[in-house]
Amino acid sequence: MLIKVMDKNMVRFTKLINYSCKTIVLLAGAAIFIFIATGCGGGGSSSGGGPSDSSGPGATNGYVGITECYNCHADGVTIGSAAGAVSSSSCCSTDIFSTWLNGKHGNYEGAGYKGNPGYSDLTATACNACHDELSDGELLSGYYQQTGLSFLGTENRPVVGCESCHGSGSSHFGIGNIVENPGADVCGKCHKKDDYHAASYPEGDNIYADYQASPHASSLSTEIYADGSTTDVKPLCSKCHTDEGARKYTKEDNYSAEYTSQDARFASEADAANANPVKCNTCHDAHSSNTLLLPASGGESSEYRTCTSCHQIVEDSYHGENNPEFNASDTTRTIYDTHYDDPNTPATPLATPNRIIEGYIIDKASERACSDCHNPHNADNTINNEWANSGHGGFILDSIVAGKANVTAKPWLEYTWKYMSNDSSDRKACQRCHTATGFKNLANSPSNYDPANNVFPASGQQMEMLYCWACHTNSVGALRKPGSYVSPRYTTGTVNVTNNSTTVTTNQPIHKSFVPVGSMLQILGNSSTNIVKTLTYSDAPTNQMVSQFTLSSAYTGTTASQVGYVITAYITPAGREIATGTTGSSICASCHSGRLTGEYIKNYPGSLTANFGTFNSHYLADGGIMYRTIGYEFTGQDYSDAVSYVHPTIGSTGGAEGDEGPCVACHMKNDESHSFEVVEGDLGAVTDIKSYTNVCSRCHGNKAALIATLNTRDTQYNAALAALETQLNSKGIYYCASYPYFKNAAACGGATYPVSPATWPNKDTLGAAFNLNLFKNVPAAYVHNREYTRKLIYDSIDFLDDGNLNKSVEATLGGSGNAYDYLNGTR
């Protein structure tokens, strides 16, 4: 090969004699190059002084420079289309130089020069230790100036060259050793904790330390070694447990093959000798930083195919359920149970038997199919497992480990939220909270959210739970920032409106189902209150379309032909808001604040003949209670917070409780953050408070006393609700646990719709029922805002017991008992 190189590159080398620090002696008779390294600088540059080489074959300061690597490895198939394109050595991949050039290590300045997104012209010398360790950029620019060959670039630019990873070449030159397959420690020299890049590349921070602590770094284990060996791995196991096996077999094998086929496939293969664990270049091509082990194919992304080549997605694969070695509690090797939902899932609501969901849905085509929910460098599933055993994850992990039990996660399974449900109701308005796709789009741009723009990864009728990527923007926990709370909207769009006009025309007709009677039509350009119209029956005749509205008062915004509008039933009392700012708790409040409010009932036009479902606040509306936006408040009563109430300020002081607001601080500042549970034990029988040390101890000095108080208040709270329910019963109104929640007979069985009282006697009675239903669906309302809860329950009983707000509750409750203890002294 050396003879070939001499013949092809004689002129090129001659031009470089004065540039190179090498002395080149041409012995024509023997046709041998003798390279004398005496006087060579460490980086091949005139400045000298390169670093010592700890990873090369024993050389110290023996770096020869990237141009020497390039000139020797110019034997084989021609690559490149630019003038001066050269060949690549047969000992390397034929595209090794071109892939390296266009990766971040090659930092190629071509194809638009500095406009090239991959190009960087860093000048900070502190960066050179990683970005141009051996001054190879200077060598390349000098090479171009001497030869006129532009294939490797023309500018002096930061370059991570061959010897930065493969070690010094002074003892190599075709006859010596070199680091052919660098270890993870070589990558870790630069890919480590780096405060300079953490903000710009958060997923790149601390990569090497993460890897060292990961199962990937310890993928070798006793059970996979060949008999009697501590270094060689059985061929079948080597495919996933070793670097050598993964790179040798994965591209040629069907990674979804059944385990019986896998056994046969590897029966005649040799053991992987002196095997290395899975490491960086097992999955990554270091010469092309954007390339993974397997290319995209058949609608499946490169990331999806690379990860699932070992984390198997078929039931009969090795380590699968039908393999005798299957372990149901191991959810890290095979993922068909946890990551797949049958696309043929029937579009029926949750019923008996409950819908079986086998897992959550992966967008196989996404280049972040796996990293949207996993940090592949630490491969730690702790948070993922917490999520999978939470309500947000539909409790799927617990069900799977228990043997694929039926899952009863109603928020995700009760209806096919992505499509028309079987009761012919359009569920698009629900997608903002009942699908991951809907919430992601809402959180990205609340004011512009439109369910018509929701495009779901899976085209079938599978469900979406609240996946990691709904709330997070990367694999290391960065959050979406929805900002201030935006209330649920039935529809949005634009209207034609003129300043001082009382008539608006929508850009397209709206069906009656999108303009529920009693909702507010809000013209977003209105400079006064934004609430400009309470929708009446005449605004939206049954089964008809409406396109023009007459406002309650003239539009007072800036003159415009197109102004945004929303229609919502979430009407808040004057001066109130869900005050979460831009913190992480905005994410929680976006869904946990209810869908309509007591003010909606107050604004409801016409007779109260509608089924109670029309007035349902929705569920787990903790934000609406904390910030006092949701309850039915009786006219003339004071519902201000107690002076001592500080729960909304939790999570605003930094330190142990953080600065992401009260929801995150209370529910996630503990050792099981993504279980979202604050206490151990059932409400009323609490045994521990998970967030006590980081959060509650700030104000509550004794943990045992606080636990006792919580259990007592739970008993009292439920007794107070029972007392309110008794008062409704006396009016012939009975609460039932199933929709639509109120019936006009004591028995809750039988027909489910319509069953509410034929006519609600008045708004205050309906409001009292609204408050009962609200609190029945917020089990710990006394924690989120005890004073607001007490006032609403008190006034509801006070009105119902004799039709007046006259502070008669203590007498009605008989002066004692748990309900009395909870409500006594409220007014």
Side-chain angles (χ1 to χ4, degrees):
M1 184 189 80
L2 292 177
I3 296 174
K4 256 188 187 179
V5 173
M6 181 184 71
D7 291 341
K8 290 169 58 177
N9 296 308
M10 183 71 73
V11 175
R12 182 187 304 165
F13 279 11
T14 301
K15 288 183 179 179
L16 285 172
I17 286 175
N18 293 329
Y19 175 74
S20 173
C21 68
K22 307 292 184 292
T23 300
I24 302 177
V25 180
L26 302 178
L27 301 180
I32 297 174
F33 284 109
I34 299 176
F35 295 91
I36 302 174
T38 305
C40 293
S45 68
S46 57
S47 60
S52 62
D53 176 25
S54 60
S55 58
T60 301
N61 288 338
Y63 295 93
V64 300
I66 192 172
T67 54
E68 299 293 356
C69 304
Y70 176 66
N71 285 322
C72 275
H73 292 281
D75 178 24
V77 181
T78 300
I79 57 174
S81 58
V86 297
S87 302
S88 176
S89 171
S90 58
C91 75
C92 305
S93 169
T94 56
D95 63 353
I96 191 168
F97 282 111
S98 62
T99 55
W100 171 81
L101 272 174
N102 292 288
K104 293 183 179 178
H105 289 165
N107 195 22
Y108 185 49
E109 85 276 4
Y113 188 27
K114 295 183 180 181
N116 182 356
Y119 176 76
S120 172
D121 58 354
L122 293 172
T123 56
T125 55
C127 303
N128 288 342
C130 283
H131 286 274
D132 196 3
E133 179 188 22
L134 305 176
S135 300
D136 279 328
E138 184 180 344
L139 277 178
L140 292 180
S141 64
Y143 180 83
Y144 167 70
Q145 293 166 13
Q146 294 292 324
T147 66
L149 297 177
S150 62
F151 181 76
L152 291 177
T154 63
E155 294 291 318
N156 179 5
R157 66 190 192 276
V159 167
V160 180
C162 308
E163 293 173 290
S164 293
C165 299
H166 292 283
S168 64
S170 60
S171 63
H172 174 50
F173 288 102
I175 57 174
N177 295 320
I178 199 165
V179 182
E180 189 172 333
N181 184 14
D185 60 321
V186 174
C187 305
K189 290 190 303 181
C190 290
H191 295 282
K192 55 188 177 182
K193 186 167 182 62
D194 187 343
D195 293 334
Y196 292 107
H197 295 95
S200 302
Y201 301 100
E203 290 179 304
D205 190 30
N206 217 35
I207 283 183
Y208 183 54
D210 282 349
Y211 162 78
Q212 287 179 303
S214 76
H216 291 155
S218 57
S219 61
L220 302 180
S221 56
T222 302
E223 68 269 18
I224 68 172
Y225 284 122
D227 293 341
S229 177
T230 58
T231 58
D232 301 348
V233 174
K234 291 179 285 190
L236 172 60
C237 303
S238 74
K239 180 177 182 292
C240 288
H241 287 266
T242 74
D243 167 65
E244 293 81 2
R247 290 189 291 114
K248 177 179 179 180
Y249 296 123
T250 298
K251 291 187 178 182
E252 64 186 57
D253 283 346
N254 177 5
Y255 58 88
S256 295
E258 296 181 3
Y259 74 92
T260 52
S261 300
Q262 295 275 26
D263 280 335
R265 162 68 182 85
F266 288 95
S268 60
E269 293 286 340
D271 297 336
N274 298 312
N276 287 289
V278 173
K279 52 195 180 79
C280 307
N281 59 341
T282 304
C283 299
H284 297 277
D285 182 345
H287 300 112
S288 177
S289 56
N290 296 323
T291 302
L292 294 174
L293 183 63
L294 285 170
S297 177
E300 297 175 348
S301 71
S302 176
E303 180 174 282
Y304 176 81
R305 295 189 71 221
T306 297
C307 295
T308 58
S309 65
C310 285
H311 297 284
Q312 298 153 340
I313 57 171
V314 292
E315 194 167 5
D316 287 334
S317 62
Y318 210 80
H319 295 303
E321 185 172 318
N322 293 331
N323 188 318
E325 297 186 14
F326 172 69
N327 181 355
S329 64
D330 184 353
T331 57
T332 61
R333 296 182 180 183
T334 55
I335 61 172
Y336 61 87
D337 272 351
T338 54
H339 291 65
Y340 176 75
D341 186 20
D342 186 352
N344 296 316
T345 299
T348 56
L350 190 67
T352 304
N354 297 329
R355 182 199 303 278
I356 296 176
I357 186 167
E358 292 182 316
Y360 58 92
I361 303 162
I362 309 173
D363 183 1
K364 296 180 181 181
S366 170
E367 285 301 335
R368 293 188 58 86
C370 305
S371 55
D372 264 337
C373 288
H374 296 275
N375 179 348
H377 300 108
N378 68 18
D380 183 353
N381 282 337
T382 300
I383 285 178
N384 303 85
N385 290 342
E386 290 171 0
W387 169 86
N389 270 333
S390 75
H392 289 165
F395 311 105
I396 60 169
L397 187 59
D398 183 60
S399 298
I400 290 162
V401 173
K404 291 180 128 177
N406 290 344
V407 177
T408 55
K410 291 183 68 173
W412 318 115
L413 304 178
E414 188 170 16
Y415 297 98
T416 308
W417 307 107
K418 298 191 299 184
Y419 305 99
M420 297 289 286
S421 69
N422 68 331
D423 64 2
S424 299
S425 297
D426 194 318
R427 302 285 172 183
K428 286 192 175 99
C430 309
Q431 290 173 2
R432 61 177 267 155
C433 290
H434 287 272
T435 70
T437 296
F439 183 78
K440 178 190 74 173
N441 293 338
L442 170 76
N444 282 345
S445 183
S447 61
N448 297 317
Y449 172 73
D450 185 345
N453 297 327
N454 292 334
V455 178
F456 298 93
S459 58
Q461 296 179 353
Q462 307 100 313
M463 300 297 155
E464 283 188 5
M465 289 168 282
L466 194 69
Y467 304 145
C468 308
W469 47 264
C471 299
H472 295 285
T473 59
N474 61 34
S475 65
V476 292
L479 291 169
R480 301 191 190 280
K481 298 291 185 181
S484 298
Y485 174 73
V486 173
S487 63
R489 296 167 172 182
Y490 282 90
T491 189
T492 63
T494 58
V495 291
N496 295 316
V497 60
T498 303
N499 195 29
N500 295 318
S501 171
T502 58
T503 300
V504 296
T505 303
T506 62
N507 58 339
Q508 60 183 13
I510 305 170
H511 192 271
K512 181 258 182 185
S513 64
F514 288 121
V515 288
V517 172
S519 292
M520 287 292 139
L521 169 67
Q522 301 180 15
I523 309 300
L524 300 179
N526 193 309
S527 60
S528 53
T529 63
N530 276 358
I531 299 179
V532 296
K533 176 67 173 177
T534 301
L535 300 182
T536 65
Y537 291 100
S538 60
D539 290 314
T542 302
N543 296 323
Q544 292 187 23
M545 307 296 281
V546 60
S547 59
Q548 190 174 89
F549 296 92
T550 301
L551 304 180
S552 304
S553 58
Y555 170 74
T556 58
T558 303
T559 301
S561 59
Q562 293 285 317
V563 179
Y565 78 92
V566 298
I567 292 176
T568 180
Y570 203 92
I571 307 164
T572 60
R576 313 274 182 86
E577 63 177 350
I578 306 293
T580 55
T582 58
T583 68
S585 291
S586 296
I587 290 175
C588 310
S590 295
C591 290
H592 288 284
S593 295
R595 284 209 58 191
L596 58 79
T597 68
E599 291 295 300
Y600 173 75
I601 294 174
K602 288 186 174 182
N603 285 276
Y604 194 80
S607 60
L608 301 175
T609 57
N611 183 282
F612 183 79
T614 299
F615 308 103
N616 180 20
S617 61
H618 219 54
Y619 319 110
L620 299 178
D622 307 272
I625 291 171
M626 175 175 285
Y627 294 105
R628 299 175 299 120
T629 60
I630 194 168
Y632 181 88
E633 300 179 1
F634 291 82
T635 302
Q637 298 294 91
D638 177 16
Y639 292 94
S640 58
D641 284 330
V643 174
S644 60
Y645 176 62
V646 295
H647 281 186
T649 68
I650 294 173
S652 61
T653 61
E657 69 180 45
D659 56 4
E660 292 288 350
C663 309
V664 173
C666 290
H667 287 267
M668 302 185 72
K669 290 298 179 181
N670 55 60
D671 293 336
E672 299 176 13
S673 60
H674 283 72
S675 70
F676 308 102
E677 294 179 352
V678 181
V679 299
E680 293 281 1
D682 295 331
L683 294 176
V686 171
T687 59
D688 194 18
I689 303 174
K690 297 180 181 181
S691 301
Y692 179 81
T693 300
N694 292 335
V695 182
C696 306
S697 61
R698 169 184 159 194
C699 296
H700 301 278
N702 186 292
K703 185 176 182 179
L706 180 58
I707 291 173
T709 298
L710 285 177
N711 288 330
T712 297
R713 283 186 180 166
D714 186 78
T715 299
Q716 294 173 341
Y717 169 73
N718 285 292
L721 292 182
L724 172 54
E725 190 171 347
T726 296
Q727 291 301 315
L728 285 167
N729 293 167
S730 70
K731 307 297 182 184
I733 301 169
Y734 299 88
Y735 179 80
C736 296
S738 59
Y739 182 90
Y741 307 114
F742 289 98
K743 301 187 178 184
N744 54 11
C748 284
T752 58
Y753 187 89
V755 286
S756 289
T759 301
W760 291 90
N762 49 61
K763 289 184 177 181
D764 283 346
T765 299
L766 175 58
F770 176 90
N771 287 338
L772 176 65
N773 180 62
L774 168 66
F775 293 133
K776 285 277 191 179
N777 288 287
V778 184
Y782 52 88
V783 174
H784 293 98
N785 193 329
R786 178 172 177 251
E787 194 66 18
Y788 187 59
T789 303
R790 292 173 67 210
K791 288 177 177 179
L792 290 173
I793 297 173
Y794 188 102
D795 291 346
S796 296
I797 295 174
D798 195 12
F799 172 78
L800 291 172
D801 63 8
D802 59 8
N804 294 293
L805 295 173
N806 53 8
K807 301 182 181 180
S808 57
V809 174
E810 286 84 354
T812 298
L813 296 178
S816 65
N818 285 318
Y820 174 87
D821 291 339
Y822 190 74
L823 297 172
N824 183 37
T826 298
R827 292 297 186 188

